[in-house]
Amino acid sequence: MTETSNSNNKPALEWTDAHQVDWENILSVGEECISAEELKRMLLAKGRNTNVGFNLYDGFEPSGRMHIAQGVFKAMNVNKCTSAEGATFVFWVADWFALMNDKMGGDLEKIKIVGQYLIEVWRAAGMNLDHVVFKWASEEITQHASVYWPLMLDVARRFNITRIKKCCQIMGRLEGSLTAAQVLYPLMQCTDVFFLKADICQLGVDQRKVNMLAREYCDASNKKFKPIILSHHMLYGLKAGQEKMSKSDPDSAIFMEDTTEDVERKILQAYCPAVEEQESTSSTSNEEVDAGKASMHLTVDNLKNPCLDYIQHIIFSPPGATFTAAGQTFTDFAAVKDAFLAEAITEEALKRGLINELNRLLQPVRDHFTNDANAKHLLEQVQQFKKDAVPTSTTPRRLDLSSHVPANTHLVFAPLPNSSPTLQQAVDLLARIRAGEGQRKTVLYLSDWSAAVCNANQADDKVIAAFYTLLLASLRALDATLMESVHIQYQSQAILTDPSNYWISVINVGRHFMLDKVMGDNMVDSDGVGGVIARLMQVADIAGVAPASMSLEESNQVVAELVSEFFTHKLPNLTAPTSIITKELDVRLQPVRESDALVTENDEYYLTDDPAVNVKSKMKKAFCEPGNTLFCPPIALATVFCLKKETPLVISRSEENGGTCNYENVSTLEKDFRSEALHPGDLKAGVTTVVMDIFANLSSTIKADKEAMQASKTLKAFQKKMSKVKK
């Protein structure tokens, strides 16, 4: 590869004959989702040079056994890929996911030993490790949690539930029977692609849908270069009707530790038809369909003969390979298949030939684990793990914030950010904080990462932070004494104290509940999947704080139900917090209307940083129908800011209009307004004086706080930006 110059004097690259990539070799691994020329052009466009090259990626969970597809077949495919100049194959060792799935009793050290054992299997199977890198998820995700998890949240915020459900075939699950955790897995796998900076996703074709999700993410996030999908074939299981091998069924596949006797027994018993299957005409219910069947294979194959499948994709995979059966030596698979279907080779002879070839491939692995001291020790350890009783975990994994927040607290969640805090949000939040007054200290939780996954403020970190900064300044202005006793906790900071246990707890919450239950009645498939993730996170947040009581937004009571059930069944050592439902009076300035061109968005409510001119203008336009006390914003404002505080509302009028009147309770105020003894104009004038004082205090508090002032500017710039986008 050599550098050339372009018209902009920026370095460009072109492939020279001396560094020609063997594209044919790479593309022979699987189906060509793109042409070799497009592959070449895309990689070159990324500005790859001879020192960097390009990355291929696959992942595996070190959960114990390795079948021949993962062992020999994968080794052959990796060797094909890394034969290309500049190629590096990155294996994502998903030990963190094995820990999450409680493999090896949740013992990470044992899981790592299993991972090292599997690497030794590949080494013995002939994988060339010179250009192979193994990255351990437990180390990478923990060390780079502030990068990995925000990236996952960014992926999630860009897709709706329907799209993620389509990816769940990677778990072989039907869309109607998904747990909430099963929408997390494809999101995390998509994140892996970008976290590992993979240029080419070289996984089985069963993973194609989630790999396509990664390409769609590039469109959604305006990433110029999409990962290339290079899928490999999925080998059939050895039994009739098995679309792929199964680690849970030892007779469905040849495993890398199988003895010669095991190989002989399994192959002789294997399904080996010489006649194509006839499609069944009987109806099958959705519950009986294998959700993954449609995407398990690259080509149509009605014969579905696993013995021929092994011969084609394992025995004939290396260049120059041959296959011998019944005294005949074949140099290509088509000739073997034709001979078998023509009965020139018997089933017995075909299987005996396959047994010989498989044992030939497995013998170096057996020898390695017999003669190499390190490999032998690893095998002995793994074998012992299988014999040992798996300890039962008694302590559920969760984030423990006991050293970061007060004990026996009242927990309140701030609302998800918008372009500017409203007075309604502030008074509602103060009401929820007051609900826990007494012996308990309140923790105010600012869910900044949940805000991002819900796409609040376009998931802009600075704008989300600005909202919370301005909201906190407003709360202090409205009730400084109350806020002195409130502990402020940002969600992101809490998570990063122990990200591993936090996200395991999120996934455990998801496993416990079906997706439909987490969605509740107010979420539909067309909604963003971020809403599901945020609910799982909120349950994990509550488990982390372990409060005595909590107050959630009225619209989020489904979370209260999830918390109660999850604590009861999964966190028996903790007491589920008492859920307190409270809400302040509605201080919106206009009724909810389906369509009204005369009412602008900003006239509907007060913003906490509204200037005096807006305060007066909005009150003048506020809905105040004579005699109507069912919805009367001036009365609601007077109640919240005067009457509840035992401060009278002063209505100043001339003697001829009834004279000055002091209202000390809401019932008298409403009575006079219903009878029209109190005119809307006089009511508005009196309440305007009250809210002007409130906003004068808000304004002085914000102006005295440099961070709040900057936050206000940031939000106004965001509002301006979004208004241009809408146009």
Side-chain angles (χ1 to χ4, degrees):
M1 198 183 331
T2 59
E3 290 192 1
T4 61
S5 61
N6 57 25
S7 58
N8 297 320
N9 293 319
K10 295 180 180 179
L13 297 167
E14 64 178 13
W15 291 94
T16 66
D17 292 338
H19 296 90
Q20 182 65 47
V21 169
D22 183 2
W23 301 110
E24 294 298 325
N25 200 15
I26 288 185
L27 289 168
S28 69
V29 172
E31 182 180 40
E32 296 184 35
C33 294
I34 61 172
S35 68
E37 284 305 310
E38 185 181 356
L39 175 64
K40 176 179 175 181
R41 184 172 62 254
M42 288 179 67
L43 290 175
L44 288 174
K46 288 190 174 186
R48 295 304 191 194
N49 58 45
T50 51
N51 294 322
V52 177
F54 58 94
N55 295 330
L56 301 102
Y57 134 84
D58 194 359
F60 70 97
E61 181 181 303
S63 55
R65 311 188 75 186
M66 180 186 281
H67 52 56
I68 197 165
Q70 189 181 6
V72 172
F73 187 44
K74 189 66 193 180
M76 293 174 176
N77 285 340
V78 169
N79 289 346
K80 288 179 181 179
C81 293
T82 56
S83 66
E85 180 74 23
T88 298
F89 206 106
V90 179
F91 271 109
W92 187 233
V93 188
D95 56 339
W96 189 85
F97 297 88
L99 173 70
M100 177 185 73
N101 292 327
D102 207 30
K103 298 295 174 64
M104 301 297 152
D107 187 326
L108 187 58
E109 289 307 309
K110 288 183 178 180
I111 292 169
K112 285 181 176 292
I113 289 170
V114 174
Q116 292 290 355
Y117 159 72
L118 297 179
I119 292 172
E120 284 300 310
V121 172
W122 275 323
R123 188 191 309 276
M127 183 184 290
N128 183 351
L129 301 180
D130 290 345
H131 300 288
V132 174
V133 174
F134 293 94
K135 291 194 174 185
W136 297 77
S138 62
E139 298 172 1
E140 296 292 330
I141 292 178
T142 302
Q143 292 172 8
H144 306 288
S146 61
V147 175
Y148 183 89
W149 294 112
L151 179 57
M152 187 278 285
L153 298 175
D154 190 65
V155 172
R157 80 180 178 96
R158 298 179 186 276
F159 296 100
N160 62 22
I161 297 168
T162 298
R163 178 63 186 89
I164 302 305
K165 279 184 174 182
K166 292 178 180 178
C167 291
C168 290
Q169 284 189 1
I170 66 173
M171 282 88 70
R173 294 288 190 272
L174 292 164
E175 290 185 9
S177 61
L178 297 174
T179 66
Q182 283 163 336
V183 301
L184 261 170
Y185 299 145
L187 293 171
M188 292 170 70
Q189 188 172 329
C190 180
T191 302
D192 295 342
V193 174
F194 300 97
F195 181 71
L196 296 171
K197 297 179 172 59
D199 299 297
I200 301 174
C201 300
Q202 205 292 280
L203 295 88
V205 70
D206 59 332
Q207 309 295 308
R208 189 176 186 277
K209 287 192 175 183
V210 75
N211 288 335
M212 289 302 296
L213 186 75
R215 289 175 62 86
E216 291 172 28
Y217 172 68
C218 292
D219 291 330
S221 59
N222 295 318
K223 289 184 182 293
K224 185 176 181 182
F225 302 111
K226 301 178 182 180
I228 295 157
I229 302 169
L230 190 60
S231 302
H232 64 248
H233 173 74
M234 299 294 293
L235 292 173
Y236 291 118
L238 293 176
K239 296 180 179 179
Q242 290 184 326
E243 291 290 323
K244 65 174 183 176
M245 301 174 177
S246 171
K247 290 182 181 179
S248 61
D249 181 357
D251 287 335
S252 72
I254 301 299
F255 288 85
M256 298 302 291
E257 72 269 25
D258 279 352
T259 64
T260 55
E261 292 78 15
D262 290 330
V263 172
E264 181 176 25
R265 175 180 57 81
K266 291 180 181 182
I267 296 300
L268 289 178
Q269 293 177 354
Y271 179 59
C272 190
V275 179
E276 291 186 354
E277 289 185 356
Q278 297 297 316
E279 291 294 329
S280 173
T281 56
S282 61
S283 61
T284 307
S285 68
N286 285 339
E287 290 75 19
E288 294 172 334
V289 174
D290 178 351
K293 274 189 177 182
S295 61
M296 286 297 165
H297 302 286
L298 295 167
T299 57
V300 176
D301 175 20
N302 293 325
L303 189 60
K304 298 182 180 180
N305 184 319
C307 295
L308 290 175
D309 201 32
Y310 271 44
I311 293 169
Q312 180 180 8
H313 293 286
I314 296 180
I315 308 306
F316 277 109
S317 184
T322 62
F323 175 74
T324 300
Q328 301 180 62
T329 298
F330 300 88
T331 58
D332 64 86
F333 170 71
V336 177
K337 182 178 180 180
D338 290 344
F340 175 68
L341 296 181
E343 299 183 359
I345 302 176
T346 65
E347 178 180 329
E348 170 79 13
L350 184 79
K351 288 182 173 180
R352 288 294 176 186
L354 179 56
I355 291 168
N356 292 337
E357 292 297 333
L358 290 175
N359 278 321
R360 180 182 60 80
L361 290 171
L362 293 177
Q363 194 56 46
V365 179
R366 298 170 186 143
D367 293 342
H368 182 67
F369 283 95
T370 300
N371 302 324
D372 184 281
N374 178 57
K376 184 177 182 180
H377 180 59
L378 286 171
L379 177 58
E380 290 170 351
Q381 287 179 290
V382 172
Q383 289 174 335
Q384 187 60 46
F385 296 160
K386 294 177 182 178
K387 295 177 183 177
D388 294 341
V390 177
T392 302
S393 177
T394 57
T395 306
R397 293 180 179 274
R398 68 179 180 93
L399 178 66
D400 184 353
L401 291 174
S402 57
S403 61
H404 299 274
V405 299
N408 195 39
T409 61
H410 175 63
L411 178 61
V412 177
F413 287 87
L416 289 182
N418 51 35
S419 59
S420 186
T422 66
L423 186 63
Q424 182 73 63
Q425 289 174 316
V427 297
D428 283 347
L429 194 51
L430 288 171
R432 294 202 297 275
I433 292 172
R434 294 188 188 106
E437 278 188 295
Q439 299 300 315
R440 297 172 188 159
K441 190 164 184 176
T442 296
V443 172
L444 177 57
Y445 215 78
L446 310 180
S447 305
D448 49 347
W449 277 13
S450 291
V453 80
C454 290
N455 205 32
N457 289 348
Q458 298 296 300
D460 187 314
D461 293 344
K462 291 182 179 179
V463 181
I464 290 171
F467 172 88
Y468 285 131
T469 298
L470 190 56
L471 178 64
L472 291 174
S474 303
L475 295 176
R476 287 190 288 268
L478 293 171
D479 198 331
T481 303
L482 177 67
M483 291 304 294
E484 284 178 1
S485 62
V486 175
H487 176 88
I488 307 300
Q489 181 62 63
Y490 276 88
Q491 181 189 43
S492 58
Q493 294 173 359
I495 292 171
L496 291 175
T497 63
D498 187 2
S500 183
N501 276 327
Y502 176 80
W503 288 103
I504 288 175
S505 71
V506 171
I507 291 166
N508 284 338
V509 173
R511 283 174 171 166
H512 183 74
F513 295 106
M514 300 302 292
L515 176 60
D516 289 346
K517 182 159 188 175
V518 175
M519 291 172 63
D521 295 331
N522 60 351
M523 197 178 292
V524 296
D525 283 2
S526 58
D527 290 334
V529 74
V532 174
I533 308 304
R535 285 185 176 175
L536 300 182
M537 291 173 69
Q538 192 164 28
V539 176
D541 293 334
I542 295 167
V545 175
S549 63
M550 64 180 184
S551 183
L552 305 175
E553 289 186 275
E554 208 172 25
S555 61
N556 207 16
Q557 288 308 303
V558 64
V559 173
E561 297 174 9
L562 299 177
V563 168
S564 177
E565 181 176 334
F566 189 73
F567 271 65
T568 300
H569 294 282
K570 295 298 181 180
L571 299 172
N573 295 330
L574 296 177
T575 301
T578 302
S579 180
I580 302 173
I581 301 175
T582 185
K583 188 181 185 301
E584 190 50 272
L585 291 176
D586 192 342
V587 295
R588 284 179 303 111
L589 300 176
Q590 302 292 341
V592 177
R593 302 178 182 182
E594 292 184 4
S595 176
D596 192 337
L598 298 178
V599 179
T600 66
E601 183 181 7
N602 283 339
D603 287 336
E604 293 178 3
Y605 43 75
Y606 278 126
L607 305 179
T608 58
D609 62 348
D610 266 340
V613 63
N614 286 6
V615 175
K616 290 181 178 179
S617 172
K618 289 182 179 182
M619 178 57 70
K620 186 177 181 180
K621 298 175 184 177
F623 183 85
C624 192
E625 186 178 56
N628 182 354
T629 58
L630 293 177
F631 180 75
C632 185
I635 290 179
L637 286 163
T639 303
V640 171
F641 293 110
C642 289
L643 305 181
K644 278 191 174 183
K645 298 179 179 181
E646 299 182 352
T647 300
L649 172 67
V650 179
I651 302 295
S652 299
R653 297 178 295 195
S654 63
E655 290 297 327
E656 61 187 34
N657 288 326
T660 298
C661 182
N662 294 340
Y663 288 99
E664 297 184 350
N665 59 72
V666 68
S667 59
T668 304
L669 178 62
E670 288 183 340
K671 178 182 176 182
D672 280 4
F673 192 72
R674 275 195 301 269
S675 68
E676 300 189 17
L678 177 60
H679 188 273
D682 294 330
L683 173 62
K684 282 187 175 184
V687 176
T688 296
T689 302
V690 173
V691 294
M692 285 295 289
D693 289 342
I694 294 296
F695 275 90
N697 187 35
L698 279 166
S699 178
S700 62
T701 301
I702 291 170
K703 287 179 179 178
D705 185 334
K706 290 184 178 180
E707 290 186 0
M709 279 295 293
Q710 183 57 51
S712 181
K713 291 178 182 178
T714 299
L715 288 169
K716 283 181 170 54
F718 177 72
Q719 294 166 20
K720 186 176 181 180
K721 174 184 173 182
M722 295 310 297
S723 66
K724 291 180 179 179
V725 172
K726 290 178 181 178
K727 291 178 182 179

